[in-house]
Amino acid sequence: MVAASSTDDAALPSSGGTVLSVLKKPSVIPGFGLTMGFTLAYLGLIVLLPLAALAVKAAGLGWAGFWNAVLTPRVLAAFEISFGLSLLAAAINAVFGFVVAWVLVRYRFPGAKIVDALVDLPFALPTAVAGIALSALYAPNGWIGQLLMDWFGLKVAFTPLGIAIALTFIGLPFVVRTVQPILQDLPPEEEEAAASLGATRWQSFRRVVFPSLFPALLTGFALAFARGVGEYGSVIFIAGNMPGVSEIVPLLIVIKLEQYDYAGAAAVATLMLAASFLLLLILNLLQAWMRSRHAR
Amino acid sequence: MLAKTSGQRPALDDRSWVRGLLILSALAFLLLFLVLPLVSVFVEAFRRGVGAYWDALIEPDALSAIHLTLIVAAIAVPLNLVFGVAASWCISKFDFRGKGLLITLIDLPFSVSPVISGIIYVLLFGLHGVVGPFLKSQGIQIIFAVPGLVLATIFVTFPFVARELIPLMQEQGTEEEEAALVLGASGWQTFWRVTLPNIKWGLMYGVLLCNARAMGEFGAVSVVSGHIRGETNTMPLHVEILYNEYNFVAAFSVASVLAMLALVTLVAKTALEWRFGAELAATRH
């Protein structure tokens, strides 16, 4: 191995350690040790060590204790609410986010650039601000809440529906921002070929355009869903926070913590973290699929 | 008139009623979910006039919340900036095993609920935490104090700079640095004179997003703050307290400052994208 890379090693003044060269290809650029050391130390101290503390605390409960803490009606209801409403919000965003992306890429209309910039607002607006604004809007005496109450007798704020509204706001940019670049790069020739072969506009959308956008749409959907499951700040103001009805998992974790039930909070948090990591894994697989589709 | 297409590619043109319907539904959706909430923040803030608005901002607890928010961001953002540069340097300029894993770990805080980002520090440093009793015996307080707020903020803003820079620097490759080194520049000279000018807009983009999140973070800091008025309340936490006290005008007044910060961030971000779109292209994949 040393012989194989001898030409490169000749140009290498310092980092010639054999252990290092097994892990790293030789390079003339300095600073590997410094930057890698700092990166790993910072990552370890800020992210990995504290996450390990969570696992240690949850493990302290033992296997049976862990499931006892997690399999209570209140915790299960919170998981059902968080995951169910995040799915609903992500589905709403999949539909309307797709329409927004389509309109922004395919059509020219006045103010399109401003609309495009505004899509990122949920990323920039602090969640607490979004939360109080949405609950003021959808409260029974709010601008929208009053209309919905008068016309349909529908109560939105302080019900599960309010949670779905907040999660829709939070997840809005994801679908737009994953579909938009793919749609932009879509070769127009494919649609033209479909049209010249006699396809109607709807047929060429359904058979040619949509299949190429589907992986991106699914990725955006999954991102919005994952974000919704963990969301806290924008939800708690509009939710009403009734245990078993409109209490989300992150809020339940906070409540357990405030009651000094550290182990219980750690157990619920660990389960939620495991669910997030599973979602992350699925997302990575989706993105790999998307790249391979896109590269063709 | 409302909905002209490019006109260059007739096969891609949708019928005008389809165009109109889609544009209208997209705008209606965005009006309902983006514009109205944003407008309502300012309307509610000025409901009792400019005087009440101003009073809510210069009241001592509000000022201390603004002060604390600035301090927390002033510590968290530079630290994550240095980390982001270091991480993207070692990831983009070298080939080593486990690079994919390292990138995944750097992105990890984005997939963790903000509440969990706070609770992990309580479990580590809190009174019943892993090293909490030891810290207490040393007279060091992290949870329910400023260090906890800073740590939680660093955690939630951890990936911002790195994830902007890594794809950008990977695309730029190593030729320019190698040329500088061959011509006799030192490592630091190469970084300051060659690398930094190449990545400065991407860096600024990452710092902008990092700062917006650092100042606006709610869930994570809420868990570690303890909500001590005038001491451990950042602006978002102050908004929550005022709102829960039914002091809506004051809550929305402070919220409107945060909303303005968000708008400034969006404008600066959009300006960067328009001006330096080509250079940032790698980061907007």
Side-chain angles (χ1 to χ4, degrees), chain A residues 72-84:
Chain A
T72 67
R74 188 173 175 184
V75 174
L76 291 178
F79 269 95
E80 203 181 314
I81 291 160
S82 275
F83 281 84

Side-chain angles (χ1 to χ4, degrees), chain A:
Chain A
M1 176 198 63
V2 173
S5 58
S6 62
T7 45
D8 281 336
D9 273 342
L12 199 73
S14 58
S15 66
T18 40
V19 182
L20 201 64
S21 61
V22 176
L23 296 169
K24 170 188 163 282
K25 279 193 197 158
S27 157
V28 290
I29 295 177
F32 180 74
L34 178 72
T35 54
M36 184 57 123
F38 179 71
T39 300
L40 290 180
Y42 193 74
L43 180 73
L45 282 175
I46 299 284
V47 178
L48 301 180
L49 190 69
L51 281 174
L54 177 69
V56 166
K57 203 76 187 176
L61 279 168
W63 190 248
F66 177 82
W67 290 114
N68 273 339
V70 166
L71 293 177
T72 67
R74 188 173 175 184
V75 174
L76 291 178
F79 269 95
E80 203 181 314
I81 291 160
S82 275
F83 281 84
L85 291 171
S86 297
L87 266 181
L88 174 65
I92 294 172
N93 276 323
V95 174
F96 285 98
F98 189 89
V99 172
V100 171
W102 182 268
V103 163
L104 285 175
V105 173
R106 287 297 175 94
Y107 306 150
R108 302 276 161 275
F109 58 97
K113 282 195 163 180
I114 295 173
V115 171
D116 192 12
L118 203 64
V119 166
D120 281 331
L121 182 72
F123 284 159
L125 194 70
T127 53
V129 178
I132 65 169
L134 288 171
S135 55
L137 272 182
Y138 286 91
N141 61 349
W143 295 345
I144 303 173
Q146 201 159 25
L147 290 182
L148 292 174
M149 199 59 161
D150 291 350
W151 293 351
F152 310 106
L154 195 65
K155 197 165 174 265
V156 176
F158 319 123
T159 71
L161 214 51
I163 301 178
I165 298 274
L167 294 180
T168 306
F169 172 86
I170 282 304
L172 197 152
F174 288 104
V175 173
V176 182
R177 292 300 184 230
T178 45
V179 171
Q180 204 177 10
I182 309 291
L183 184 56
Q184 207 122 46
D185 294 345
L186 211 62
E189 289 79 10
E190 288 183 11
E191 278 167 86
E192 284 170 343
S196 74
L197 292 172
T200 65
R201 193 69 192 112
W202 173 244
Q203 279 172 328
S204 85
F205 172 78
R206 210 164 54 93
R207 300 275 180 86
V208 178
V209 180
F210 190 74
S212 335
L213 298 177
F214 185 67
L217 182 65
L218 206 58
T219 304
F221 172 83
L223 282 169
F225 175 64
R227 174 71 205 260
V229 168
E231 179 55 22
Y232 176 71
S234 60
V235 175
I236 54 163
F237 295 99
I238 200 172
N241 305 328
M242 287 248 299
V245 180
S246 53
E247 187 179 66
I248 53 169
V249 179
L251 177 68
L252 186 59
I253 294 173
V254 171
I255 289 174
K256 282 184 179 293
L257 201 65
E258 281 170 355
Q259 292 167 345
Y260 298 105
D261 180 8
Y262 279 32
V268 177
T270 306
L271 190 61
M272 196 163 131
L273 207 56
S276 313
F277 288 167
L278 194 66
L279 270 173
L280 188 71
L281 186 72
I282 295 171
L283 260 169
N284 279 336
L285 294 175
L286 266 176
Q287 260 152 1
W289 181 41
M290 201 167 118
R291 264 195 298 274
S292 69
R293 286 287 293 260
H294 205 50
R296 265 193 325 177

Side-chain angles (χ1 to χ4, degrees), chain A residues 23 42 46 107 120 201 230, chain B residues 9 14 80 97 113 121 269:
Chain A
L23 296 169
Y42 193 74
I46 299 284
Y107 306 150
D120 281 331
R201 193 69 192 112
Chain B
R9 301 263 185 182
D14 297 321
N80 280 339
R97 290 197 190 166
S113 167
Y121 292 105
K269 175 177 168 298

Side-chain angles (χ1 to χ4, degrees), chain B residues 144-204:
Chain B
F144 308 145
V146 177
L149 296 173
V150 172
L151 279 173
T153 305
I154 292 178
F155 185 97
V156 292
T157 57
F158 191 87
F160 276 104
V161 178
R163 73 152 31 186
E164 290 302 330
L165 288 186
I166 291 169
L168 186 67
M169 285 170 73
Q170 274 178 332
E171 199 185 53
Q172 287 171 351
T174 56
E175 282 89 355
E176 291 189 31
E177 281 82 5
E178 280 163 3
L181 290 162
V182 166
L183 291 171
S186 73
W188 282 111
Q189 283 175 323
T190 308
F191 173 74
W192 287 108
R193 305 259 182 96
V194 178
T195 310
L196 198 59
N198 278 338
I199 61 169
K200 62 179 182 236
W201 300 117
L203 191 65
M204 202 179 276

